[in-house]
Amino acid sequence: TAKFLSMIHGYLDTQKQMNAKYAEEDPGELLGNFDVGAEVTKPSYTQELQQLALTMEVLDQVTTENDNALATSTSSTEKVPVISEKTAKFLSMIHGYLDTRKQMDAKYADEDPGELLANFDVGAEVAKPSYTQELQQQSVDGKPVMSMSELYEAAELAKPVYEKIVQKLVDKVHAATDDDDDDDQVVFAPLKGAKRAEEKANDDYAQRVPGPGASWLFDIVRGSITFASTGELCKCMELLKEPDDEAEFVLVKAKNRFQNPTLSGYRDFNVCIQITVPNADGGSFQHICELQIHHIAIKSLSKELHSHHYYEFFRSYFDGATASLTERMADLEAIGDGEKLDSEYLTKMLTTCMDEVRLGRLIVFFRDYLGEYELAHKACDRLFVICENFGNEPINLAQIYNQVAMTYSEQKKWDEAIAYLEKVIDIQLKELGPDSEDVAMTYNNIALIYDEQNKQDKALELYGKAHDIYVKILEADNAIFGIIYSNMGNTYKASGKYDEALSWYQKAKAIIVKNHGPDHEDVGMTFVNIGDNYRQQGKYEEALEIYVKGTKILMMTLGPDHAWVKTAESDIVELRQKLGNLEDAS
């Protein structure tokens, strides 16, 4: 069968070319219509012709059956699950989104073939600034703003100062470049609407320390510059990054979205500058304003393609975590393979696809990003079919079992997940041996599920098995130990064994810092875990100190919209409330 399937594609292509060649040579079909005569078309089957006739009938039957072998013998007898309305809407947007992204990428390549903009280094300090008191917005008396009214009072005074500074910046760019500036545009927007600003302060910055949230709004005063050439954009960023002696601003924050485009493929620089504003008393205060710097060709194409429409849809779909879809770009393109991703195409994939890599990506996408668990299981079924047709290699089966287990785990069907992981471990032990890294990871995955079932003793037993294997085959400071130690800390914490939990968390932190440095997101998460360990013991002051330290790292590495950051910030608010209640009670 394997040999047959390997020949099918070439056979179909050959037949297609032969038919085309005949049509070209005999467009009037003179040969096709030539009548050879009834007697020889349907001869009497005498003994001499009997064996030939039998052979032809058998071959015809076999060919017909084998042409449809994949569909008839391997397609599922179950009906393909119905795609939810939410997913159907998602799929309807995907094709246009991918096409838009492709055009936006091509436009940038045309305008900046040397990737000068993408490679422009804005500097680590402004790419990921530390949100300390120095960056809080100030009231007109130079103190951190404590309310929206104070912020807007300062913004009113800052706006005309900001506009003069930006216009001077543009003039300097024009003076330093030979580019024609006729198409360049400078736009100053009105102050950001108070209602939207208040929502942003509450939603994004309410838990930021130090507070209040209003003091972290940098886009009340805002504007944009649109340049016609790559050279002008580069010069503008050079002047912002290294201002001359006459400059009246400091660059405090910058995003290079030519390097990291938005979800829709849009590229620009988004920066914040801190300016000095005189007040009525003869003094001054600092105010931070936003400035967007666009390339006219990219901006024009974006408007033509309505790229922001796709950005807003997927931003809403992924609840702000647009990086999730960005990370899946390659998967989406590979899954689609140039075709439109819709319900019909996915149904075809689930019943006829023979590409294991594409199906694997489809499983991840269904399970982890769309929550379509039944479709993920259906894709796993398709992998089983392929595996059966090509010999049921044990390791391949183990990989499929693992995908099924992960899907059940996402559904919180713990017993089913463990049952499949036990199948995985049986195959791995037989095929790879007891000291395989894959065996250790499967032990770890089963232990994680036991944790979810509050079966801490079983979880610790399997973490121990995984640890013992890793000790035999890996260096003592391998990053995997940071994962195992963190998991063991979580299990001891859940068991109420807080001293043991703290010990494992400290071991995990040491490993993570050695492998990834002190500012890695896993370090931040370990601090949060330690803080939670203290919180559960009622040690609120210790907990708060560690929580704040961990949250700062998470904010810096993951950004303010990440779920881990929001959860940690919520815990900090709760801790402050508990400490405040204790002070009131005393």
Side-chain angles (χ1 to χ4, degrees), residues 363-412:
I363 291 167
V364 172
F365 201 72
F366 279 147
R367 180 184 64 224
D368 298 348
Y369 294 91
L370 298 182
E372 292 281 5
Y373 302 121
E374 291 307 313
L375 291 175
H377 282 302
K378 184 61 78 173
C380 289
D381 290 343
R382 184 66 197 158
L383 283 177
F384 280 124
V385 167
I386 296 172
C387 193
E388 288 169 6
N389 273 271
F390 288 97
N392 273 337
E393 287 294 329
I395 290 301
N396 291 342
L397 271 175
Q399 291 171 349
I400 305 170
Y401 289 148
N402 194 59
Q403 291 281 20
V404 175
M406 291 171 68
T407 304
Y408 277 128
S409 181
E410 286 294 319
Q411 294 176 277
K412 301 188 185 306

Side-chain angles (χ1 to χ4, degrees), residues 31 106 136 145 148 163 227 300 331 355 427 439 474 481 573:
L31 302 176
Q136 282 185 284
V145 300
M148 294 296 292
E163 291 177 0
F227 288 115
S300 298
D331 287 350
D355 189 328
I427 292 173
V439 170
L474 300 175
F481 288 106
V573 171

Side-chain angles (χ1 to χ4, degrees), residues 145-390:
V145 300
M146 300 306 294
S147 66
M148 294 296 292
S149 58
E150 286 187 358
L151 176 62
Y152 272 84
E153 180 186 11
E156 290 282 1
L157 294 178
K159 190 174 188 297
V161 178
Y162 164 78
E163 291 177 0
K164 289 180 180 178
I165 289 173
V166 171
Q167 191 58 60
K168 284 183 181 179
L169 174 66
V170 173
D171 292 342
K172 287 182 178 180
V173 170
H174 289 160
T177 60
D178 296 328
D179 296 297
D180 185 2
D181 60 1
D182 290 345
D183 294 327
D184 295 346
Q185 303 169 3
V186 181
V187 177
F188 298 112
L191 297 182
K192 190 182 189 78
K195 182 180 179 181
R196 175 69 188 99
E198 190 161 4
E199 289 174 353
K200 187 173 182 179
N202 292 332
D203 294 345
D204 297 347
Y205 305 128
Q207 282 80 43
R208 183 172 287 184
V209 180
S215 66
W216 296 108
L217 294 172
F218 296 165
D219 60 348
I220 304 301
V221 179
R222 57 219 168 117
S224 66
I225 310 170
T226 303
F227 288 115
S229 72
T230 297
E232 288 176 305
L233 269 86
C234 286
K235 176 52 67 175
C236 183
M237 288 305 300
E238 289 171 7
L239 292 172
L240 283 166
K241 183 180 177 181
E242 298 179 4
D244 56 31
D245 295 337
E246 298 177 358
E248 302 168 291
F249 62 83
V250 176
L251 182 66
V252 295
K253 185 180 178 182
K255 288 183 182 178
N256 183 350
R257 297 199 298 199
F258 289 95
Q259 187 176 82
N260 299 300
T262 67
L263 183 66
S264 61
Y266 191 75
R267 293 162 166 85
D268 67 357
F269 289 107
N270 187 297
V271 306
C272 293
I273 57 174
Q274 189 176 56
I275 63 175
T276 301
V277 184
N279 61 22
D281 297 330
S284 64
F285 63 93
Q286 305 295 313
H287 195 85
I288 297 176
C289 313
E290 183 183 77
L291 179 62
Q292 294 178 325
I293 307 166
H294 306 287
H295 193 297
I296 194 168
I298 293 172
K299 185 177 180 181
S300 298
L301 181 61
S302 174
K303 185 176 181 180
E304 177 186 335
L305 297 175
H306 304 288
S307 68
H308 199 68
H309 171 63
Y310 297 107
Y311 172 79
E312 288 298 331
F313 173 80
F314 289 118
R315 183 174 180 271
S316 172
Y317 191 96
F318 286 95
D319 195 25
T322 53
S324 297
L325 185 59
T326 302
E327 292 167 1
R328 296 268 69 87
M329 275 292 297
D331 287 350
L332 286 167
E333 291 174 331
I335 291 167
D337 195 30
E339 296 192 44
K340 185 175 182 179
L341 276 169
D342 56 16
S343 300
E344 182 180 352
Y345 179 73
L346 292 180
T347 299
K348 184 175 74 171
M349 275 200 71
L350 294 174
T351 54
T352 65
C353 182
M354 293 294 291
D355 189 328
E356 296 146 289
V357 174
R358 286 169 63 203
L359 281 167
R361 286 171 158 169
L362 189 64
I363 291 167
V364 172
F365 201 72
F366 279 147
R367 180 184 64 224
D368 298 348
Y369 294 91
L370 298 182
E372 292 281 5
Y373 302 121
E374 291 307 313
L375 291 175
H377 282 302
K378 184 61 78 173
C380 289
D381 290 343
R382 184 66 197 158
L383 283 177
F384 280 124
V385 167
I386 296 172
C387 193
E388 288 169 6
N389 273 271
F390 288 97

